[in-house]
Amino acid sequence: MHELSDFILGPQPPSGRRDPERARRAAEAAGLRVVDLRSERLRTVFFDVGAVVYFLRLVVWIVPGFTAAAHRERLRDLHEQIGRDGAFVAHASRFLIEAVKA
């Protein structure tokens, strides 16, 4: 959800934590054999700023320390953008790794 983090907090440095090949290397370094590795990029669409506020209050790692009061100006900007564009789109990256003891 880097698009949402970047919108609220400003540009954030890439974390690299969700790199499937990095996970593969770590599993192999731990002595495991990777049987399957799948990755997916999932689209999330927000149609109103209230849904964004609700989401950010539940998924606390997207914008650490999020409160509607503290981020009021950016939420207002997001509300205006959703009004213009009809929605705000963000993406989540996920991967599944299956590994067995070598």
Side-chain angles (χ1 to χ4, degrees):
M1 292 279 177
H2 74 274
E3 297 96 340
L4 187 53
S5 296
D6 287 352
F7 190 94
I8 301 295
L9 299 172
Q12 300 295 298
S15 70
R17 289 181 292 176
R18 293 242 180 233
D19 179 7
E21 289 305 319
R22 180 177 170 199
R24 176 193 302 274
R25 290 189 303 273
E28 291 169 347
L32 300 173
R33 182 173 55 88
V34 175
V35 177
D36 193 12
L37 179 61
R38 302 175 198 185
S39 61
E40 192 68 41
R41 187 161 161 81
L42 306 167
R43 184 173 182 252
T44 303
V45 181
F46 296 97
F47 294 101
D48 65 76
V49 76
V52 173
V53 170
Y54 183 79
F55 178 79
L56 291 176
R57 291 186 64 198
L58 291 176
V59 189
V60 298
W61 55 89
I62 302 295
V63 177
F66 174 81
T67 67
H71 298 91
R72 183 179 183 92
E73 292 302 316
R74 292 307 291 154
L75 291 170
R76 181 177 294 124
D77 295 341
L78 184 58
H79 172 73
E80 291 172 4
Q81 180 175 322
I82 291 171
R84 271 191 322 272
D85 301 341
F88 181 84
V89 178
H91 297 84
S93 297
R94 301 284 184 261
F95 66 88
L96 170 71
I97 185 168
E98 180 183 356
V100 296
K101 190 172 182 180

